[in-house]
Amino acid sequence: MPAITFYKHEPIPMEMHKVKIVQQLHLLPTAQRLEKMQQAGFNTFQLHNGDIFLDMLTDSGVNAMSDRQQAAMLQADDAYAGSETFFRMQAKLQELFGIENCLPAHQGRACENILATRFVKPGNCVIMNYHFTTAKAHITRLGGRVEELVKKEGLVSHSGLPFKGNIDLDALESCILKETPSNVPFVRLEAGTNLIGGQPISYTNMKAATAICRKYKILTVLDASLLQDNLYFIKTREEGMQGKSVREITRMIADLFDIIYFSARKFGFARGGAILVRDKKLFHSMEDLIPMFEGFLTYGGMSVKEMEAMTVGFEESMDMDVISQGPQFIDYCVKRLDEYGVPVITPGGGLGAHIDVKEFLPHVPQSEYSAGALSCALYICGGIRGMERGTLSEEREPDGTERIASMELLRLAFPRRVFTLSQTEYVIDRVKWLFDHRQLVGGLEFVHEPATLRFFTGVLKPIGDWPEKLAAAYRADFGDEQ
């Protein structure tokens, strides 16, 4: 990765690619954005993409493909069974991870369904450094439960700790002994903990955690969806790793785990997923679930064109010039917001910049879905679609009471190779304006609340008329057409 310096300019992240295809953007006037938010039931998932100026909802399935990925899609073999495309993908994954047995699935949550169906029984406890919404939902729907054992400092929003996704090793062993190993079907470690700011886990921590699991003969599972960001942080932040290649670090990590799964919508820059299973017998015990839920074993519910693109994307993820782009732009955004006094998760992690909403909106209780409200406010004030990662993303307790999230975040995702620095500056500017007018933002309440994964399809309404007052203040500063 070249170190690019400037003669007369402050250091800024450099796009290590050039643009060949563009998609035109439109910025609706403020009044229309308010109307669109009302029509969407104050849920950014329900907005139409054509009404969005900058879409920072997610990095899942919206990353830009390279020219080599686009070219590879032309050679796809769309045979129902025995597709050569699958075997090319399998060979690349075996080369990188050292695991031969591959179960394809259409995306990460499909992999989670297969794993939960195969391993989780009522009363089981699955231990994690931190949960992801769909991973937890698949476990709880089968009567299991999740124990989150991320180290306490991982939940401190503003710090300089390089690996805030690390699992608490003492708590891990204590939990195994308390539950008994037979009641822990697997321990899942997430590379780049999604819900606490995309914070990475160190190789050293993964090695120690998996050693504890081997001691008690418990399966180890790696969610590698955000692996490429985590690889970047291990290489740049972890002592003793600077001299190793990304490819070497990838294999070192893979050698620690029994099962690895991922969403290629993140890792691989395409739309698909896979489960890699080290033990052949274990692999055979799972393979019948793929035709049942996904498709035949050589396409797994995916478009084979996407599988060809994934295969190239896996190789591109071994290139520091490629995987550095997201973390560098996120770090720039986080540092600029921090300089403005905006409460953000530091240090910058992978996936996106994360605003600490408990500090941003201290006057809005989490029970009024403050992160969801802030995501709506940012769309009204700039046409930017972010994603709530807090109490709205949780599910209620069995007795119906609200489960308050340990962190209340607004995520501004940075899809890889999509946004420019000027667009990033626009986001920073609008977030700063909103921070300076934060007292205008109020809470939300449900009109329609689904029982599971409610943040996807729920309908909400504002408590009071704060959206109208916010839009009026924005128009007063920027004019009707902004």
Side-chain angles (χ1 to χ4, degrees):
M1 182 174 67
I4 297 176
T5 57
F6 289 83
Y7 175 52
K8 289 288 187 180
H9 199 287
E10 64 183 68
I12 55 174
M14 284 285 292
E15 294 90 344
M16 298 302 292
H17 55 265
K18 59 183 179 181
V19 177
K20 292 188 175 182
I21 298 176
V22 299
Q23 178 182 359
Q24 189 174 4
L25 296 173
H26 301 280
L27 178 59
L28 296 180
T30 310
Q32 288 188 36
R33 296 199 298 269
L34 175 59
E35 182 182 348
K36 297 297 182 182
M37 195 74 262
Q38 293 165 338
Q39 292 172 357
F42 287 85
N43 182 346
T44 56
F45 273 96
Q46 302 302 313
L47 289 167
H48 291 204
N49 188 54
D51 299 328
I52 296 163
F53 182 49
L54 296 178
D55 192 358
M56 306 183 82
L57 182 81
T58 182
D59 66 333
S60 184
V62 292
N63 300 293
M65 285 189 183
S66 70
D67 51 356
R68 290 181 293 176
Q69 286 184 287
Q70 291 282 341
M73 293 172 80
L74 297 175
Q75 66 174 341
D77 174 12
D78 62 358
Y80 183 90
S83 168
E84 294 299 333
T85 289
F86 169 78
F87 294 115
R88 283 191 283 270
M89 183 186 79
Q90 180 187 41
K92 177 55 66 176
L93 288 168
Q94 184 176 0
E95 174 193 329
L96 298 180
F97 293 99
I99 300 175
E100 176 185 2
N101 307 306
C102 175
L103 296 170
H106 77 272
Q107 66 181 96
R109 69 198 53 176
C111 299
E112 292 163 349
N113 175 45
I114 300 298
L115 291 170
T117 300
R118 169 62 179 82
F119 294 110
V120 177
K121 296 178 175 59
N124 280 171
C125 174
V126 177
I127 302 172
M128 305 180 181
N129 52 344
Y130 208 79
H131 82 278
F132 182 62
T133 51
T134 53
K136 184 176 181 178
H138 280 300
I139 290 164
T140 57
R141 74 177 174 83
L142 294 169
R145 70 183 194 282
V146 168
E147 285 288 338
E148 299 169 331
L149 301 180
V150 70
K151 295 186 76 171
K152 290 182 179 178
E153 53 261 38
L155 302 179
V156 176
S157 61
H158 204 277
S159 75
L161 292 175
F163 293 102
K164 292 163 71 172
N166 283 353
I167 194 168
D168 186 321
L169 299 172
D170 292 335
L172 170 61
E173 188 156 21
S174 295
C175 188
I176 291 172
L177 292 172
K178 176 185 174 185
E179 294 291 337
T180 70
S182 62
N183 197 48
V184 181
F186 58 86
V187 170
R188 171 188 172 273
L189 296 181
E190 183 177 333
T193 42
N194 193 309
L195 297 183
I196 60 171
Q199 295 295 311
I201 180 173
S202 71
Y203 170 76
T204 301
N205 187 254
M206 285 188 272
K207 184 176 181 180
T210 52
I212 291 171
C213 294
R214 283 196 301 275
K215 175 181 175 182
Y216 294 102
K217 296 181 173 56
I218 295 173
L219 283 173
T220 54
V221 175
L222 175 67
D223 180 349
S225 300
L226 290 172
L227 179 62
Q228 68 171 33
D229 291 341
N230 212 119
L231 288 167
Y232 171 83
F233 291 123
I234 287 175
K235 182 168 173 59
T236 57
R237 294 180 182 176
E238 189 162 359
E239 185 178 354
M241 292 296 181
Q242 286 75 24
K244 298 187 182 297
S245 70
V246 177
R247 194 178 299 268
E248 288 175 308
I249 298 170
T250 300
R251 187 59 176 272
M252 289 169 61
I253 292 171
D255 287 347
L256 300 174
F257 290 90
D258 299 305
I259 296 172
I260 298 171
Y261 79 91
F262 58 85
S263 169
R265 287 172 170 262
K266 299 176 184 289
F267 178 64
F269 310 111
R271 296 168 184 83
I275 307 171
L276 306 179
V277 187
R278 191 172 300 280
D279 181 77
K280 196 79 171 179
K281 184 177 180 181
L282 196 60
F283 167 77
H284 285 312
S285 76
M286 299 166 66
E287 63 184 350
D288 62 318
L289 297 173
I290 299 298
M292 184 180 298
F293 292 116
E294 296 296 305
F296 190 68
L297 289 166
T298 53
Y299 78 94
M302 286 182 279
S303 158
V304 288
K305 291 183 179 180
E306 297 283 354
M307 291 168 68
E308 291 285 3
M310 284 166 54
T311 303
V312 175
F314 298 144
E315 180 61 33
E316 291 180 348
S317 294
M318 298 296 105
D319 185 341
M320 276 292 280
D321 279 346
V322 174
I323 68 173
S324 66
Q325 297 294 278
Q328 287 182 354
F329 272 72
I330 292 164
D331 185 61
Y332 178 85
C333 183
V334 166
K335 286 180 176 176
R336 288 290 307 279
L337 289 172
D338 191 38
E339 289 169 0
Y340 277 145
V342 177
V344 285
I345 301 299
T346 62
L351 177 59
H354 293 74
I355 296 172
D356 184 347
V357 181
K358 284 194 283 188
E359 290 190 30
F360 197 108
L361 299 177
H363 59 285
V364 181
Q366 287 180 264
S367 59
E368 294 181 5
Y369 313 118
S370 52
L374 188 60
S375 70
C376 297
L378 186 58
Y379 174 73
I380 294 168
C381 301
I384 302 159
R385 176 163 71 164
M387 184 177 177
E388 182 273 354
R389 298 275 69 172
T391 301
L392 187 62
S393 291
E394 294 284 352
E395 293 180 3
R396 290 185 182 271
E397 301 288 359
D399 64 1
T401 58
E402 193 68 77
R403 179 182 291 138
I404 301 300
S406 54
M407 300 193 84
E408 195 77 22
L409 306 178
L410 171 58
R411 184 180 78 192
L412 302 176
F414 276 75
R416 294 155 187 86
R417 302 182 287 201
V418 172
F419 294 129
T420 65
L421 192 60
S422 65
Q423 291 167 331
T424 303
E425 292 285 8
Y426 173 84
V427 172
I428 294 166
D429 183 79
R430 291 311 190 258
V431 171
K432 171 57 175 168
W433 184 91
L434 191 53
F435 182 61
D436 290 344
H437 296 78
R438 58 192 178 277
Q439 291 299 328
L440 294 173
V441 181
L444 300 173
E445 60 184 4
F446 270 105
V447 175
H448 164 64
E449 182 179 354
T452 304
L453 300 174
R454 59 187 182 175
F455 62 93
F456 280 134
T457 57
V459 177
L460 300 101
K461 66 178 181 180
I463 299 173
D465 61 351
W466 66 261
E468 288 79 8
K469 291 178 179 177
L470 181 68
Y474 186 84
R475 285 197 301 269
D477 281 356
F478 293 102
D480 290 337
E481 299 307 310
Q482 293 291 316

